[in-house]
Amino acid sequence: MESRRGNQMEFSELPATRRIQRLSSHISPAVTAPPQQPMVQTEACASRSKKLEVNGEALSLYMRGKHMDIQEKVYEFFNSRPDLQTPIEISKDDHRELCMRQLYGVVREAGIRPFRYVADDPEKYFAIMEAVGSVDMSLGIKLGVQYSLWGGSVINLGTKKHRDKYFDGIDNLDYTGCFAMTELHHGSNVQGLQTTATFDPITDEFIIDTPHDGAIKWWIGNAAVHGKFATVFARLILPTHDSKGVSDMGVHAFIVPIRDLKTHQALPGVEIQDCGHKVGLNGVDNGALRFRSVRIPRDNLLNRFGDVSRDGKYTSSLPTINKRFGATLGELVGGRVGLAYASVGVLKISATIAIRYSLLRQQFGPPKQPEVSILDYQSHQHKLMPMLASTYAYHFATVYLVEKYSEMKKTHDEQLVADVHALSAGLKSYVTSYTAKSLSVCREACGGHGYAAVNRFGSLRNDHDIFQTFEGDNTVLLQQVAADLLKQYKEKFQGGTLTVTWSYLRESMNSYLAQPNPVTARWEGEDHLRDPKFQLDAFRYRTSRLLQSVAMRLKKHTKTLGTFGAWNRCLNHLLTLAESHIESVILARFIEAVQNCSDASARAALKLVCDLYALDRIWKDIGTYRNVDYVAPNKAKAIHKLTEYLSFQVRNVAKELVDAFELPDHVTRAPIAMQSDAYAQYTQVVGF
Ligand SMILES: Cc1cc2nc3c(=O)[nH]c(=O)nc-3n(C[C@H](O)[C@H](O)[C@H](O)COP(=O)(O)OP(=O)(O)OC[C@H]3O[C@@H](n4cnc5c(N)ncnc54)[C@H](O)[C@@H]3O)c2cc1C
């Protein structure tokens, strides 16, 4: 009793720094294989349970990003600076301060300059973002606000004069900034923003105004404490000589200085408030901005898509407000691409922690025999193995997205722009929703220990949760995917072209929409079910059917409800269509990645997880396939049995599969994820 109380006292008196030191001692443990445990084999699996031999090195090599070197530089910097590592317990204000110091550290001390890559080498930029986000997700977002949102808006929406004036200051953090789009009354509906920028021809200035409380800029990252500038999205109002007196040219972006460069005081007419303590990401200082007749030079209009001359005339290469608005938002998809990519990173971390722990943790077992690993329970495999397969699937899909985005930035090819826009909206919403749900599953899969803050699920879940909302709410983004699909569908029947992502619809819409083949609907052999053609056909068939049926429903309801009402009547159907399409794209990329892998052993491992991903998805939607007799009852049963078998096979190589992510130890620093002596490390953390 005595010693226990002593330990508790010791724990409560431990200064934060000592606890961090203890934690950092767990950051680089010797990674060894978990102890071998007896494996429980389900009846269905027992006869075919030969373990796949995985060449871990070849698999890691194939999975490894192109920019490991710059990521290593980030990790080395933080390993050398324990004072810059975020402790488990930290107040909002200290966290914000630390996050700013972390960012200065990366840029000014480690000499890593993310802004230089935003436009010229986005793949490298996303690699940096992933690495700093693994140190602290707040830091990843803070860096994203500075370089991708504030910096990105200046270089992508502005012209040479803006680049010349602001690039260096943004790059070296002298010009810290914000991206002020969202208002209290308008988030997703950006075209409804109310802030105004009225041109004053006498002084050659714009006057920025917040006309009412609903137009206060809200949630603006970097605004509460650190930002000196903001890209403010406002309606451009021009004086006219007609009876109306003014003309609303729609939403445009303006550079507005918000704090004095020397004193850091808010500038006259700019009122700044703090959005306060949040559910997560408390290292980012989100604030609210109100403008009272703030005057800025005409040059501060980011004028790539629309300009105002000295005498107040508006010019643009784009003919309509809608086209200009589309082009403006189109330039901002980089944020979405980054979030989709980062979300897969979070999924890798949480799946790794949960799977390593589940291999190690033993509960119950056959009578008078040792307890078994919890990952030997079929239910546990069911929770985690399809998730591991999905993590691989999303890895390849988002790598593809980043590649396409980089290509788009270089070529500005119109077709590619449309393609990346839809693909980024779809993958961002699909992947972030999946990761958010998986974080809870992983926490639960680790039982009570999953609930200890030191084991990371709490902070990962809280920090990641908002990925579903910012950079475009997921439900709203999926509708953009559905709308794009319908547009392509309509164009197909009018003989138009389809963008790259949807080309499968052009190639095979007719065959997918034909009546299901009653013979193949009965095929149930393993070779057939594991044939990529069967899997991809099944995914695409579902998407094509959903597309055709929703198009018909929309046509019918539009007659009575109008376009808006018909869309709303079919909304759930439309969202299912968008998700189904994204799943088809993900599977196609995954199959391609398996085929492109040159090492036979790594390829076999990838084929295994790819099959599990595909069949698990088909099984989850088996009602749809059964309803239209795409799959006969015997085949449905075979799919289910094979999915369970594949889950079991993946369990057998789960360690190798998570090790291939090659996450540095500080990333999975949860003691329960440490593979050697995990319990000893865990008990040390709490002070024994
Ligand atoms: C931590 C944090 C940081 C942020 N950083 C910034 C920043 O730096 N700069 C910035 O400008 N903004 C920022 N935002 C704002 C963010 O971009 C918005 O919150 C987001 O765009 C969603 O807008 P909203 O909050 O108004 O939600 P709403 O649009 O009001 O959505 C609320 C709900 O309604 C649903 N909904 C809305 N429209 C539809 C529809 N048409 N069909 C079906 N359902 C619908 C949505 O699915 C959602 O569930 C930040 C927000 C947070 C929380």
Side-chain angles (χ1 to χ4, degrees):
M1 255 331 258
E2 245 342 279
S3 72
R4 195 177 164 79
R5 222 181 26 233
N7 274 335
Q8 278 171 357
M9 279 178 61
E10 188 197 354
F11 172 62
S12 62
E13 285 162 15
L14 264 180
T17 44
R18 256 186 76 198
R19 261 187 279 157
I20 298 163
Q21 269 170 9
R22 276 192 173 166
L23 259 180
S24 0
S25 72
H26 308 306
I27 284 174
S28 317
V31 177
T32 55
Q36 281 297 312
Q37 290 126 24
M39 259 180 230
V40 175
Q41 297 183 352
T42 59
E43 203 188 321
C45 306
S47 58
R48 317 180 270 177
S49 57
K50 196 165 155 279
K51 184 176 183 255
L52 195 74
E53 287 303 325
V54 180
N55 178 346
E57 214 174 299
L59 186 59
S60 298
L61 201 64
Y62 192 60
M63 295 289 290
R64 192 178 290 167
K66 279 188 218 154
H67 298 291
M68 283 285 279
D69 48 344
I70 195 131
Q71 294 193 321
E72 288 295 335
K73 206 170 160 186
V74 172
Y75 303 146
E76 271 166 28
F77 173 71
F78 281 99
N79 279 339
S80 72
R81 294 293 302 274
D83 59 309
L84 287 182
Q85 286 164 18
T86 312
I88 299 289
E89 290 170 41
I90 183 166
S91 72
K92 164 177 74 61
D93 293 340
D94 287 351
H95 197 176
R96 287 173 170 183
E97 205 39 51
L98 175 63
C99 202
M100 193 65 228
R101 281 195 289 122
Q102 288 171 332
L103 188 56
Y104 281 136
V106 169
V107 174
R108 294 182 179 172
E109 294 177 46
I112 295 165
R113 293 301 181 89
F115 198 40
R116 304 194 179 165
Y117 309 117
V118 166
D120 300 336
D121 191 352
E123 289 178 74
K124 200 164 186 171
Y125 172 75
F126 292 129
I128 297 171
M129 207 178 151
E130 183 185 29
V132 299
S134 76
V135 172
D136 183 336
M137 226 184 289
S138 284
L139 175 60
I141 297 302
K142 184 124 181 136
L143 182 141
V145 169
Q146 170 68 15
Y147 293 122
S148 183
L149 295 180
W150 150 239
S153 59
V154 172
I155 55 173
N156 291 320
L157 302 179
T159 45
K160 185 174 178 304
K161 63 182 175 187
H162 299 112
R163 197 185 171 102
D164 290 349
K165 186 167 173 187
Y166 293 98
F167 190 96
D168 288 346
I170 295 173
D171 179 45
N172 65 24
L173 292 172
D174 281 347
Y175 294 172
T176 44
C178 325
F179 178 88
M181 182 180 266
T182 304
E183 295 175 358
L184 187 56
H185 282 185
H186 287 97
S188 303
N189 182 9
V190 180
Q191 268 182 305
L193 297 181
Q194 304 284 298
T195 303
T196 53
T198 309
F199 182 60
D200 178 352
I202 298 168
T203 61
D204 197 21
E205 290 171 320
F206 290 105
I207 309 163
I208 309 292
D209 265 308
T210 302
H212 51 79
D213 284 359
I216 295 173
K217 294 290 176 187
W218 210 274
W219 284 129
I220 309 308
N222 246 353
V225 183
H226 297 121
K228 295 200 189 290
F229 295 87
T231 293
V232 174
F233 288 79
R235 315 195 77 78
L236 169 55
I237 308 293
L238 290 180
T240 56
H241 299 295
D242 58 17
S243 57
K244 283 202 271 174
V246 290
S247 175
D248 181 343
M249 306 307 294
V251 174
H252 286 65
F254 302 83
I255 295 178
V256 182
I258 57 169
R259 286 192 176 88
D260 187 278
L261 279 178
K262 287 205 180 92
T263 65
H264 203 64
Q265 293 301 307
L267 289 168
V270 180
E271 292 171 13
I272 307 176
Q273 297 297 338
D274 193 327
C275 288
H277 194 251
K278 303 188 292 287
V279 170
L281 294 181
N282 277 303
V284 184
D285 51 315
N286 291 92
L289 300 168
R290 180 202 278 274
F291 302 101
R292 295 192 193 272
S293 298
V294 175
R295 288 180 168 267
I296 55 167
R298 182 168 54 91
D299 263 353
N300 284 23
L301 165 66
L302 292 168
N303 60 342
R304 177 159 163 212
F305 297 116
D307 206 357
V308 175
S309 64
R310 176 67 190 88
D311 57 354
K313 295 248 163 42
Y314 186 81
T315 49
S316 171
S317 55
L318 299 164
T320 61
I321 284 189
N322 279 349
K323 286 235 180 289
R324 290 193 287 272
F325 181 72
T328 302
L329 291 197
E331 279 304 323
L332 305 173
V333 296
R336 245 168 240 167
V337 175
L339 281 191
Y341 188 72
S343 185
V344 178
V346 176
L347 186 57
K348 282 180 189 165
I349 298 170
S350 63
T352 301
I353 296 172
I355 289 168
R356 284 186 180 162
Y357 177 72
S358 300
L359 282 164
L360 189 91
R361 179 73 168 177
Q362 295 169 325
Q363 295 288 308
F364 305 102
K368 300 207 171 72
Q369 285 184 44
E371 289 187 303
V372 301
S373 151
I374 55 174
L375 200 54
D376 280 334
Y377 291 108
Q378 194 183 44
S379 53
H380 219 72
Q381 287 168 16
H382 183 68
K383 280 178 200 162
L384 296 179
M385 296 304 98
M387 185 194 297
L388 180 55
S390 300
T391 311
Y392 270 82
Y394 306 159
H395 166 86
F396 292 114
T398 50
V399 165
Y400 171 77
L401 172 65
V402 169
E403 280 168 11
K404 287 280 142 205
Y405 176 75
S406 301
E407 203 181 317
M408 178 198 96
K409 280 285 186 201
K410 284 187 194 110
T411 62
H412 298 282
D413 176 80
E414 229 175 86
Q415 201 85 311
L416 201 54
V417 170
D419 209 35
V420 168
H421 186 263
L423 190 62
S424 60
L427 278 176
K428 183 269 184 189
S429 47
Y430 190 87
V431 171
T432 58
S433 293
Y434 184 91
T435 300
K437 286 185 202 96
S438 300
L439 280 160
S440 287
V441 175
C442 287
R443 199 295 296 154
E444 192 210 325
C446 295
H449 296 318
Y451 202 62
V454 72
N455 285 322
R456 302 208 64 194
F457 292 120
S459 58
L460 287 171
R461 189 167 58 184
N462 288 352
D463 287 346
H464 175 277
D465 190 74
I466 195 65
F467 281 34
Q468 300 174 96
T469 301
F470 59 22
E471 293 286 342
D473 169 84
N474 284 357
T475 307
V476 174
L477 290 183
L478 282 178
Q479 290 179 61
Q480 291 177 13
V481 177
D484 201 52
L485 273 167
L486 281 156
K487 191 168 147 239
Q488 310 271 339
Y489 176 77
K490 221 167 123 192
E491 282 170 9
K492 178 199 143 55
F493 289 108
Q494 290 164 355
T497 54
L498 286 101
T499 56
V500 188
T501 318
W502 326 135
S503 60
Y504 72 89
L505 293 172
R506 176 187 53 216
E507 282 154 18
S508 38
M509 185 70 123
N510 295 339
S511 64
Y512 288 129
L513 290 179
Q515 281 304 308
N517 181 331
V519 178
T520 54
R522 287 184 160 65
W523 287 358
E524 57 174 56
E526 184 173 329
D527 286 350
H528 167 68
L529 298 180
R530 297 187 71 171
D531 181 349
K533 177 160 168 33
F534 158 69
Q535 297 164 358
L536 206 50
D537 274 354
F539 275 50
R540 290 174 169 182
Y541 170 79
R542 185 185 50 169
T543 310
S544 303
R545 265 196 86 89
L546 284 163
L547 178 55
Q548 195 199 36
S549 54
V550 83
M552 280 159 60
R553 283 186 66 210
L554 280 171
K555 202 168 163 197
K556 183 179 120 199
H557 290 304
T558 304
K559 288 183 194 140
T560 48
L561 301 173
T563 320
F564 185 86
W567 187 268
N568 198 20
R569 174 66 68 87
C570 302
L571 198 45
N572 291 333
H573 196 158
L574 287 158
L575 297 176
T576 311
L577 163 68
E579 284 171 344
S580 171
H581 166 67
I582 288 302
E583 284 171 354
S584 301
V585 174
I586 291 170
L587 180 63
R589 298 271 68 89
F590 201 174
I591 289 171
E592 205 176 278
V594 175
Q595 286 161 355
N596 289 343
C597 180
S598 56
D599 179 88
S601 150
R603 191 169 59 247
L606 289 173
K607 171 84 177 106
L608 175 65
V609 273
C610 185
D611 288 342
L612 177 58
Y613 171 74
L615 293 174
D616 178 67
R617 283 304 309 129
I618 294 173
W619 173 247
K620 286 208 168 88
D621 245 357
I622 201 70
T624 309
Y625 292 107
R626 281 289 304 114
N627 272 348
V628 291
D629 280 330
Y630 190 85
V631 162
N634 66 318
K635 187 167 187 165
K637 212 168 148 189
I639 290 170
H640 185 216
K641 266 181 99 170
L642 185 56
T643 307
E644 281 185 351
Y645 168 66
L646 294 177
S647 258
F648 178 76
Q649 285 285 29
V650 172
R651 176 262 175 263
N652 285 347
V653 288
K655 180 191 172 317
E656 290 86 339
L657 287 168
V658 293
D659 285 354
F661 294 147
E662 279 206 16
L663 300 176
D665 292 330
H666 84 269
V667 171
T668 52
R669 66 171 177 252
I672 58 171
M674 298 306 170
Q675 294 178 52
S676 71
D677 208 9
Y679 289 119
Q681 300 196 30
Y682 191 28
T683 51
Q684 273 175 39
V685 171
V686 298
F688 290 103

